[in-house]
Amino acid sequence: MRKPGKASVLAALLGGGGVLHLVRPSMYDWLVPPELGDQRTWVLATGVAEIGTAALLAAPATRRFGGWSAAALLLAFVPAHLHTFRVIPRRPLPVAVAVGRLPLQVPMVAAALDVARGR
């Protein structure tokens, strides 16, 4: 059995995350920095963007564009990851989760760029 490629993994992660943004937006509201304005609007918009990017990654004809879109989207999420450190309770588990999530963006952006470059 062939292992899933980077585009498939990214599509699954972004698609799943996008669906969660739309179905359970309250899970994400607190991640939006207040400086950006209405949290719910941002959560719903990013959910749609994640689903759209997942669709681009899933279709061979648009896969490379999907890779560029995924890289841009993942980089756009960095302010939310940084904002997490302003609002999480200062307890070991929430801090560990926040610290662990931020570096995970690096391999995900790298994978998206690989897809964008046709690798």
Side-chain angles (χ1 to χ4, degrees):
M1 178 183 263
R2 196 174 139 218
K3 74 176 191 171
K6 292 176 186 177
S8 298
V9 171
L10 285 169
L13 291 171
L14 290 171
V19 168
L20 277 176
H21 276 72
L22 300 180
V23 174
R24 300 282 309 265
S26 61
M27 286 177 43
Y28 297 96
D29 286 340
W30 68 277
L31 289 169
V32 178
E35 298 83 3
L36 294 178
D38 183 59
Q39 297 167 321
R40 183 59 53 93
T41 299
W42 280 103
V43 169
L44 297 175
T46 56
V48 170
E50 285 180 301
I51 292 168
T53 299
L56 290 170
L57 288 163
T62 58
R63 187 163 291 145
R64 291 182 72 173
F65 181 67
W68 291 114
S69 297
L73 191 59
L74 291 165
L75 289 172
F77 290 159
V78 170
H81 292 299
L82 294 174
H83 172 68
T84 303
F85 292 100
R86 294 185 344 192
V87 296
I88 59 169
R90 300 293 184 243
R91 294 192 306 263
L93 183 59
V95 171
V97 170
V99 168
R101 278 182 56 191
L102 193 54
L104 287 175
Q105 296 302 298
V106 174
M108 289 178 64
V109 170
L113 291 173
D114 282 348
V115 172
R117 294 175 179 138
R119 297 186 204 152

